[in-house]
Amino acid sequence: SLRFGVDVTAPLGTGLFPDLRNGRIAVAARANGRRVLNLFSYTGALSLAAAAGGAREVVSVDLSAKAHARARRNLQLSGMNEELHEFIAADALTVMARMADRKRLFDMVIIDPPAFAHSRDRSFSVERDYRELVEMALRVSDSGALLCCAANAHRFSLDALIAEIGEGASRARRLVRVVEQHGLPADFPLPAGFTDGNYLKFLVCSVV
């Protein structure tokens, strides 16, 4: 039911990741009535999924103002009203720190970082820094919230992702349980012996 503008001539950033389809379905299925914070939102596919699922507020955070412009275009293509959406062009950790200081809380936080990223102040590595993202996400998560954690790096295994979520939860002194797991859709078959092809992980966690 959603429409996205894509650039099929782009070498990398076409604007949509078909392999994350199961994650978008999971977000839409659980977003009803929730205040949603989408980190590393890119062109807003997960934000649109949350809105389509009935979220009452969606905040999209990405360093790139250009990505936000594409997200707004996707809202228009899908016939969605921008009134429920807030776009913040800034570093995710900085934004969450400010929100925590203001005690602004959410009922669903989506973490979908690139494997590597750079801002003016710091560099980010999914293997090194995921626990810090989880810790800060939990500081802006209300009781009963859902934490949706994606990782798109073959070297960052499912076990490692779960361990990083647990470490971040420990630092934030919150209890987090994995309630749903997703990987690649059926139309992304994994060739036997090619373990690097099993790169995508998407976990839905409950927060106490």
Side-chain angles (χ1 to χ4, degrees), residues 96-188:
M96 286 190 287
R98 291 172 181 167
M99 288 176 168
D101 287 342
R102 300 199 307 265
K103 296 183 171 23
R104 185 177 183 183
L105 300 178
F106 296 87
D107 307 302
M108 176 185 280
V109 181
I110 303 167
I111 304 174
D112 182 21
F116 301 97
H118 298 276
S119 69
R120 285 176 293 182
D121 302 322
R122 59 174 289 161
S123 63
F124 172 84
S125 164
V126 68
E127 296 173 74
R128 183 191 66 218
D129 299 317
Y130 211 103
R131 64 182 62 182
E132 186 177 1
L133 283 175
V134 170
E135 177 187 2
M136 290 305 300
L138 291 174
R139 296 195 188 282
V140 296
S141 295
D142 209 346
S143 180
L146 295 175
L147 182 65
C148 301
C149 296
N152 186 349
H154 66 86
R155 295 178 185 172
F156 193 45
S157 68
L158 176 61
D159 288 343
L161 174 59
I162 293 173
E164 290 297 292
I165 294 171
E167 180 62 30
S170 177
R171 290 183 178 190
R173 298 185 178 181
R174 302 291 294 272
L175 177 61
V176 174
R177 300 187 181 99
V178 178
V179 297
E180 195 174 330
Q181 298 183 28
H182 296 283
L184 291 166
D187 54 346
F188 283 78

Side-chain angles (χ1 to χ4, degrees), residues 8-72:
V8 296
T9 68
L12 293 174
T14 61
L16 182 68
F17 297 107
D19 53 1
L20 195 54
R21 185 184 315 120
N22 290 340
R24 292 191 289 273
I25 292 170
V27 166
R30 294 176 175 268
N32 189 41
R34 294 184 183 271
R35 300 161 293 175
V36 178
L37 175 64
N38 182 17
L39 304 169
F40 307 93
S41 56
Y42 189 41
T43 57
L46 287 165
S47 296
L48 266 70
R56 60 188 171 100
E57 176 187 3
V58 181
V59 179
S60 300
V61 178
D62 197 282
L63 274 174
S64 171
K66 189 177 293 186
H68 286 322
R70 295 177 75 178
R72 288 188 173 95

